[in-house]
């Protein structure tokens, strides 16, 4: 490929995009002749790790990648219907990229914000522009308002079984199964812990391998395994991100963090870095849980009226059903969050960290809203202040935790459910079968529904079971045979209070 022609093709774009290369940018390049020579004589950057991410609203997508060099990179975009024989049209839109040094592997990471997208359009895109292009990928926009479905995935945590390839196979299979069953799902929402070890790129490579991650936008959430390095932020750009110290929980030079929000159609999503939870100064200064509440309050005051529902996402489940139920940090969040969430009008909270599934009753300010709500009820009626809290099971099969018995000696505020003493009192459903699953959320004008759906059986890929980290598989601690892929662990329809 002639790299001069490739650059020229970008230059003559007649598209209306705001971010295409402009004449002044080209003049700047020409003036910097030495640099131009070095760019043109350099090998094109090798691009990898491409992922499609959510933008600030439904008319945006973000493409993020790793690059071997800091060349003039861009994303080229065109309606798929305008490609001819796989070639992009001359009028393809070009979005210039921000490319910065990558502290993980000595390379670089880039991203471009694809804005002003049209609704109900199939798009194709590719990354490069310095003489070579990535393969072409495709995504679709949908209507920009109204009903939609999204999928939620608990802790892929690639590498946690001790076998990265097996974890990757389970992760890829869950995405394949989930999107084959729900091809019109519009977002893939993370429960955190994308990988086991923050900066290990072989784990990120396995996480990023499924092509579904280049066709459906990923909504990143930071877990405790992601926070200890820069790779999370370098792989997963997020919109409207606040990285102030109380929301960060670490050194921005060496770690990742921050809270962010976006609006997708009729839902305001707020995604928190729950790794930050402590009082951050010895003198009693800012408490990170209070800082999160302040952030949520500000976002809802400014944007709550633009959405019908409010969905919070963060990693550390406060109503954990399993191993982390009574962790000290969990007990603190369990005291700090529920009243604020109810007062702020949050509808649904999606969480991870415990690698088991739970779905709460409607909880209002830390107590059950309707004492008559039955365990496992499939239809619930929200009064103002009612919030459903969900914990996602492992989406990859890399690690499962066993359900834990309520233990009031560990936390007197997290005892048994009088209606089902095996469960912790807030939880209508707690489940662990040591098979992979994912959560489907249906957003409708007059309801929100939550389903937990099996995406695997005991058969491979099911890494934690394959390698012997768990010894049984299937319902009733393995006493019953595993149920089919696609079958429901749980389903609830919430009829909202204020709609
Ligand atoms: Fe995890």
């Amino acid at each position: 490929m002639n790299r001069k022609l490739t650059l020229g093709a970008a230059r003559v774009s007649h598209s209306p995009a705001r971010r295409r290369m402009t004449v002044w940018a080209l003049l700047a390049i020409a003036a910097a002749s030495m640099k131009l020579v070095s760019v043109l004589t350099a090998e094109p950057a090798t691009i990898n790790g491409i992922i499609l991410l959510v933008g600030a609203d439904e008319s945006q997508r973000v493409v993020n990648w790793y690059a071997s060099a800091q060349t003039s990179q861009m994303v080229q975009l065109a309606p798929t219907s305008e490609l001819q024989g796989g070639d992009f049209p001359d009028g393809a839109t070009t979005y210039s990229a921000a490319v910065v040094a990558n502290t993980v592997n000595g390379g670089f990471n880039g991203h471009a914000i694809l804005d002003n997208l049209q609704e109900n359009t199939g798009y194709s895109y590719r990354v490069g522009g310095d003489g070579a292009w990535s393969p072409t990928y495709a995504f679709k926009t949908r209507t920009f308002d109204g009903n939609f479905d999204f999928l939620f995935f608990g802790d892929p945590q690639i590498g946690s079984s001790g076998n990265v390839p097996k974890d990757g196979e389970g992760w890829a299979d869950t995405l394949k199964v989930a999107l084959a069953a729900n091809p019109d799902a519009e977002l893939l929402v993370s429960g955190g812990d994308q990988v086991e070890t923050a900066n290990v790129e072989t784990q990120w490579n396995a996480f990023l391998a499924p092509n579904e991650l280049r066709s459906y936008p990923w909504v990143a959430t930071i877990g405790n395994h992601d926070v200890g390095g820069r790779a999370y932020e370098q792989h997963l750009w997020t919109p409207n991100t606040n990285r102030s110290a109380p929301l960060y929980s670490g050194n921005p030079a060496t770690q990742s963090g921050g809270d962010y929000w976006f609006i997708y159609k009729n839902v305001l999503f707020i995604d928190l870095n729950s790794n930050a939870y402590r009082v951050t100064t010895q003198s009693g200064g800012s408490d990170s849980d209070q800082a999160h509440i302040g952030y949520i309050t500000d976002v809802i005051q400014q944007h709550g009226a633009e959405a019908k529902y409010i969905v919070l996402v963060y990693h550390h489940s406060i109503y954990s059903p399993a191993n982390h139920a009574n962790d000290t940090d969990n007990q603190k969040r369990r005291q700090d969050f529920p009243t604020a969430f109810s007062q702020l009008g949050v509808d649904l909270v999606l969480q991870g960290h415990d690698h088991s599934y739970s779905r709460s009753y409607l909880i209002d300010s830390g107590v059950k809203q309707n004492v008559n709500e039955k365990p496992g009820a499939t239809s619930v009626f929200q009064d103002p202040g009612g919030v459903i809290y969900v914990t996602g099971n492992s989406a990859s099969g890399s690690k499962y935790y066993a359900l834990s018995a309520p233990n009031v000696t560990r936390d007197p505020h997290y005892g048994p459910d009088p209606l089902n003493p095996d469960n912790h009192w807030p939880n209508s459903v707690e489940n662990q079968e040591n098979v992979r699953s994912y959560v489907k959320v249906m957003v409708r004008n007059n309801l929100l529904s939550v389903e937990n759906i099996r995406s695997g059986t005991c058969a491979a890929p099911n890494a934690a079971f394959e390698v012997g980290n768990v010894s049984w598989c299937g319902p009733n601690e393995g006493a019953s045979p595993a149920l089919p892929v696609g079958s429901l662990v749980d389903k609830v329809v919430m009829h909202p209070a204020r709609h």
Side-chain angles (χ1 to χ4, degrees), residues 192-345:
D193 282 359
Q194 274 78 192
V195 295
E196 167 76 5
T197 312
N199 279 348
V200 173
E201 286 300 313
T202 49
Q203 296 176 5
W204 280 101
N205 290 342
F207 170 78
L208 293 164
N211 267 336
E212 289 85 355
L213 294 175
R214 283 167 281 286
S215 292
Y216 293 85
W218 184 248
V219 177
T221 301
I222 189 167
N224 56 303
H225 287 264
D226 305 308
V227 72
R230 295 287 301 137
Y232 170 85
E233 288 184 14
Q234 293 171 170
H235 278 295
L236 307 174
W237 187 90
T238 55
N240 301 319
T241 306
N242 183 326
R243 295 194 169 91
S244 60
L247 308 178
Y248 207 85
S249 179
N251 180 351
T254 56
Q255 296 181 259
S256 296
D259 293 358
Y260 74 97
W261 64 273
F262 62 95
I263 292 177
Y264 195 89
K265 300 169 85 163
N266 51 0
V267 178
L268 172 58
F269 287 87
I270 306 176
D271 193 290
L272 307 179
N273 169 28
S274 57
N275 296 289
Y277 72 96
R278 297 178 184 84
V279 175
T280 54
T281 69
Q282 294 295 328
S283 58
S286 58
D287 178 308
S288 287
D289 281 355
Q290 298 309 317
H292 290 305
I293 291 169
Y295 179 82
I296 298 166
T297 302
D298 288 347
V299 171
I300 291 174
Q301 282 178 349
Q302 292 168 27
H303 301 285
E306 300 165 37
K308 200 164 271 184
Y309 299 99
I310 298 171
V311 175
L312 293 189
V313 191
Y314 55 82
H315 182 63
H316 296 78
S317 171
I318 67 169
Y319 296 135
S320 282
N323 207 47
H324 292 298
N326 291 309
D327 290 356
T328 305
D329 58 328
N330 197 355
Q331 293 188 36
K332 173 169 163 47
R333 294 186 200 89
R334 201 150 57 220
Q335 293 301 311
D336 290 345
F337 282 160
T339 298
F341 292 176
S342 289
Q343 290 177 346
L344 289 166

Side-chain angles (χ1 to χ4, degrees), residues 91-164:
T93 305
T94 303
Y95 296 88
S96 60
V99 181
V100 297
N102 184 330
T103 60
V104 174
N105 60 4
F108 300 86
N109 62 88
H111 79 273
I113 299 169
L114 317 185
D115 60 3
N116 292 326
L117 301 175
Q118 303 299 304
E119 58 184 347
N120 292 315
T121 304
Y123 285 102
S124 292
Y125 70 97
R126 57 184 181 173
V127 181
D130 63 346
W133 292 103
S134 73
T136 297
Y137 303 105
F139 65 86
K140 290 178 185 166
T141 58
R142 308 287 177 172
T143 57
F144 282 176
D145 56 19
N147 301 335
F148 73 105
D149 300 345
F150 69 88
L151 307 180
F152 173 69
F153 299 91
D155 299 55
Q157 205 168 324
I158 304 300
S160 67
S161 77
N163 186 315
V164 168

Side-chain angles (χ1 to χ4, degrees), residues 19-170:
R19 293 170 188 271
R20 69 183 183 220
M21 292 193 77
T22 57
V23 171
W24 63 262
L26 290 162
L27 289 172
I29 291 172
S33 57
M34 291 305 292
K35 186 177 179 187
L36 180 64
V37 168
S38 73
V39 167
L40 292 178
T41 54
E43 287 297 307
T46 301
I47 304 293
N48 58 44
I50 294 173
I51 183 168
L52 186 69
L53 299 164
V54 77
D57 63 35
E58 61 284 334
S59 73
Q60 294 184 1
R61 300 289 185 274
V62 176
V63 182
N64 199 101
W65 60 89
Y66 271 18
S68 61
Q70 196 166 27
T71 56
S72 177
Q73 291 160 34
M74 62 192 75
V75 173
Q76 200 173 39
L77 178 87
T80 301
S81 61
E82 296 180 11
L83 268 63
Q84 296 194 337
D87 292 335
F88 280 70
D90 286 347
T93 305
T94 303
Y95 296 88
S96 60
V99 181
V100 297
N102 184 330
T103 60
V104 174
N105 60 4
F108 300 86
N109 62 88
H111 79 273
I113 299 169
L114 317 185
D115 60 3
N116 292 326
L117 301 175
Q118 303 299 304
E119 58 184 347
N120 292 315
T121 304
Y123 285 102
S124 292
Y125 70 97
R126 57 184 181 173
V127 181
D130 63 346
W133 292 103
S134 73
T136 297
Y137 303 105
F139 65 86
K140 290 178 185 166
T141 58
R142 308 287 177 172
T143 57
F144 282 176
D145 56 19
N147 301 335
F148 73 105
D149 300 345
F150 69 88
L151 307 180
F152 173 69
F153 299 91
D155 299 55
Q157 205 168 324
I158 304 300
S160 67
S161 77
N163 186 315
V164 168
K166 285 186 187 298
D167 295 353
E169 287 169 27

